[in-house]
Structure formats: C-alpha cells, structure tokens
Amino acid sequence: MKKKEQPQIVKCLCGGVKIKIFGKLRYVINCHCKQCMKTHGNYAAYTNCLEQNIIFINKSTLRWYNSSNFAKRGFCNKCGASIFYKIKKGKSISISAGMFENPTKLKTDSNIFTKGKLDFYKLDPKLRKFSRSEK
C-alpha cells in the first residue's frame, strides 16, 4: 500500500498568510523579468501547483496586486513577503520557493526571461535558459 503524501505547510515571515498544499509541486523556475526583479529585489524562484490543491489556513494579511492585464501577485501586507504569482484566468498558482521549509524536495530546472537579468550575478550554466518564458 502506497504511503499517503503529507501536505506541506507554507507561511510568510509573520504567519499572516499560511497555506496547506496537497499534491504535486512543479520544479522551480527562476524568473529574471523586470516585474519579478522589482517585486523580489532579485530574480524570483517559483514552484507551481493547481490552485485547487491549496487550502488557506490564514489569509488575513494577503493582498493582491494586479501587475499586468493578465497576471496578479499575492503578498503579505504586514511583513511584505512576496508569495504568489497567478495568471488571472489560469487554474494553477505559482508559489515563491523561499516560502518553504527544508527539506523542500524541490529542484531548480531553468531560468526564464534571462534578457532581463542584471549584471551582478551569474546564471548556473547547468540549467536550461530561455530569453522569454519556458513555453
């Protein structure tokens, strides 16, 4: 009999946003687009799952910012944590990989929007890279 996978608990720095994630998470993608750079203060590392696989334990400080016509970003209005990236009409949601506790069991797969990369860091040459999105 297969052991049932335990949900992962993820929370922001202050705990004002706390979620339980069930099911499979996508590998991590590092995004170097201008919006991620401005939102995170550096490139952003995101995993992803179906939105239906998330249960909010606490979302009292969660706020959404419409960062474009097609996407929004979720953040904590108390501690400032940048937590989510969501395509408005999509069924999945991206979660900042830095929100997880060790061991994450996540692996970084690629870098996207590398044209937006700033000059103070280098990309890992072992990872795939895309000048735009992965698709």
Side-chain angles (χ1 to χ4, degrees):
M1 190 158 91
K2 194 173 182 180
K3 185 179 176 185
K4 188 174 180 180
E5 199 170 311
Q6 292 296 309
Q8 294 195 50
I9 306 293
V10 177
K11 63 182 182 173
C12 67
L13 190 60
C14 72
V17 179
K18 187 174 181 181
I19 61 174
K20 199 181 280 192
I21 305 169
F22 295 88
K24 187 174 172 145
L25 291 166
R26 185 201 66 202
Y27 48 82
V28 173
I29 295 175
N30 298 329
C31 183
H32 305 268
C33 77
K34 186 174 287 286
Q35 285 191 7
C36 281
M37 297 293 269
K38 299 289 184 189
T39 302
H40 290 267
N42 202 352
Y43 65 88
Y46 282 110
T47 185
N48 186 292
C49 70
L50 291 173
E51 195 167 12
Q52 69 187 22
N53 291 348
I54 292 178
I55 294 174
F56 282 90
I57 299 167
N58 187 7
K59 60 179 178 178
S60 62
T61 60
L62 177 62
R63 299 297 179 270
W64 290 95
Y65 172 69
N66 288 311
S67 55
S68 69
N69 291 334
F70 62 89
K72 61 184 182 175
R73 294 171 184 273
F75 65 96
C76 175
N77 76 339
K78 184 175 179 186
C79 68
S82 178
I83 306 165
F84 301 114
Y85 174 82
K86 168 89 174 109
I87 302 291
K88 292 176 185 176
K89 294 183 180 180
K91 293 184 180 188
S92 64
I93 188 165
S94 294
I95 306 161
S96 293
M99 304 302 291
F100 291 81
E101 300 289 330
N102 277 325
T104 67
K105 300 180 184 173
L106 297 171
K107 300 286 185 220
T108 303
D109 177 78
S110 58
N111 290 289
I112 60 172
F113 292 99
T114 56
K115 281 188 175 183
K117 179 196 153 321
L118 295 176
D119 60 358
F120 65 86
Y121 63 93
K122 295 188 183 313
L123 297 177
D124 183 339
K126 297 176 196 146
L127 297 177
R128 301 180 307 147
K129 68 178 184 178
F130 303 89
S131 61
R132 297 194 54 86
S133 104
E134 193 178 39
K135 295 178 183 179

